[in-house]
Amino acid sequence: MNPIDISLCPHIGNESQEMVYDTAGMSSRYRASFLALGLAAVLLAGLLWMRREDLSLLGELEVSWPLMIGAISLSVVGTLLSFVRWYLLVKAQGLPFTVFDALRLGLIGTFFNFLIPGAVGGDLVKAALIAREQSKRLLAISTIVVDRIVGLLGLLVLTGLVAIAGWGAIQDNGALAELALWNLGLLGIALAALAVFLLWRWPLEDLASRVRRIPKLGPPLASLVDAAGSYQQAKGTVIAAVLFSILIQALFVASLILGGLSLWPEAPPLSSYLVAIPFGLLSTGIPVTPGGLGVAEVTLE
């Protein structure tokens, strides 16, 4: 039997090439995932080895289940409220979206946070899913970016308030004092930028029409400018989202504190917890390991 000349069947040739490219892409993703998981294991193993003497005492500890259950409950409530915050930001763009949609896509994104390097990995999955369900895809994706920015702002506000309120105890610890000063500087810049955005009368409509004339990149960039204009008009929603973020981050910090107290009642001063833990949470956004596993622990250590 004579071999088939694939050049006479271009359709078959194209499919074969696509299968080869897809296989190569999948192999690359698998290698990156295994590398990230391996790095997370190394970070955790190193941390466990450094604290091996403390960990040897865990068998002698009694778990305070009321505190542990409280820690888990606060974490769940904080996660659910983060979905409500995203819902508010999506509705501010006038997109058809329900609280159930935010819950459904948010839970999927949270699941993938533990599979994709970095705590923002699940946002990529959420972006792909909401883009499939919305006609204004770029506008929908921009809400995820804004939601992440608002979440970080809430974390900065919370840490800044703690730094100001507990400065008397923090200033005696050089490392904590340095973290607190960095936080206050970043917080000042962030709040100034937010105030300028909300209060300044930006000619965004004119800017969008000019940007739209740019070849190829014009339409998507114009969509982002339109999104910014919608948020500028919905000042109340933006402020509500920031307040939601402060509450959510406070719940996550309280969850970690209760979790620690449930195992080890003799805890460091509360001011140390309140300053260090938010920075540990902030470090999970570094796209190194799935869900920031190991990164946050090393940062807190």
Side-chain angles (χ1 to χ4, degrees):
M1 180 178 296
N2 294 329
I4 299 175
D5 187 355
I6 297 181
S7 63
L8 299 177
C9 307
H11 180 68
I12 295 177
N14 290 337
E15 287 184 348
S16 300
Q17 292 177 3
E18 290 176 359
M19 290 178 62
V20 171
Y21 294 148
D22 289 344
T23 303
M26 290 177 63
S27 300
S28 177
R29 287 194 294 270
Y30 281 131
R31 284 196 298 269
S33 298
F34 283 124
L35 180 62
L37 288 171
L39 182 57
V42 169
L43 288 172
L44 284 176
L47 184 61
L48 293 175
W49 174 256
M50 289 189 297
R51 309 304 299 180
R52 60 189 181 279
E53 295 181 1
D54 293 337
L55 292 173
S56 65
L57 301 176
L58 285 178
E60 304 174 7
L61 299 177
E62 293 184 3
V63 179
S64 175
W65 288 108
L67 290 178
M68 181 64 76
I69 293 173
I72 296 172
S73 300
L74 290 178
S75 180
V76 171
V77 172
T79 301
L80 294 177
L81 287 179
S82 69
F83 302 154
V84 176
R85 180 188 65 198
W86 182 40
Y87 163 77
L88 294 176
L89 293 173
V90 175
K91 292 300 291 182
Q93 294 295 335
L95 299 174
F97 200 65
T98 64
V99 175
F100 179 76
D101 292 331
L103 177 64
R104 174 173 53 87
L105 298 183
L107 287 174
I108 294 174
T110 302
F111 171 77
F112 278 98
N113 273 341
F114 295 96
L115 297 179
I116 301 175
V120 298
D123 290 345
L124 301 177
V125 177
K126 283 168 56 179
L129 292 175
I130 195 173
R132 291 175 55 186
E133 300 178 4
Q134 298 288 339
S135 57
K136 299 179 180 179
R137 296 183 177 180
L138 191 58
L139 199 61
I141 293 173
S142 69
T143 63
I144 298 175
V145 178
V146 173
D147 181 62
R148 179 60 64 173
I149 294 173
V150 170
L152 292 176
L153 179 58
L155 191 57
L156 286 174
V157 172
L158 175 64
T159 316
L161 292 175
V162 172
I164 294 172
W167 181 252
I170 294 172
Q171 63 180 347
D172 296 331
N173 186 315
L176 284 178
E178 185 176 354
L179 281 177
L181 290 175
W182 271 101
N183 175 84
L184 291 174
L186 292 174
L187 176 60
I189 295 173
L191 290 180
L194 179 63
V196 169
F197 174 74
L198 292 179
L199 300 178
W200 191 269
R201 298 286 297 180
W202 296 90
L204 294 177
E205 293 183 1
D206 295 338
L207 179 61
S209 62
R210 294 177 183 178
V211 169
R212 194 170 283 109
R213 302 191 193 103
I214 300 175
K216 295 184 179 180
L217 294 177
L221 290 176
S223 297
L224 293 177
V225 175
D226 290 335
S230 297
Y231 284 126
Q232 196 178 43
Q233 296 298 322
K235 295 180 177 64
T237 299
V238 174
I239 294 174
V242 173
L243 294 177
F244 256 98
S245 295
I246 299 171
L247 174 60
I248 291 165
Q249 300 297 353
L251 289 173
F252 287 148
V253 171
S255 172
L256 289 173
I257 293 175
L258 287 182
L261 292 176
S262 69
L263 296 173
W264 199 276
E266 297 180 4
L270 186 60
S271 59
S272 299
Y273 262 116
L274 291 175
V275 174
I277 287 178
F279 278 94
L281 294 174
L282 194 63
S283 69
T284 62
I286 302 173
V288 176
T289 63
L293 188 64
V295 176
E297 288 79 2
V298 170
T299 302
L300 288 172
E301 173 65 20

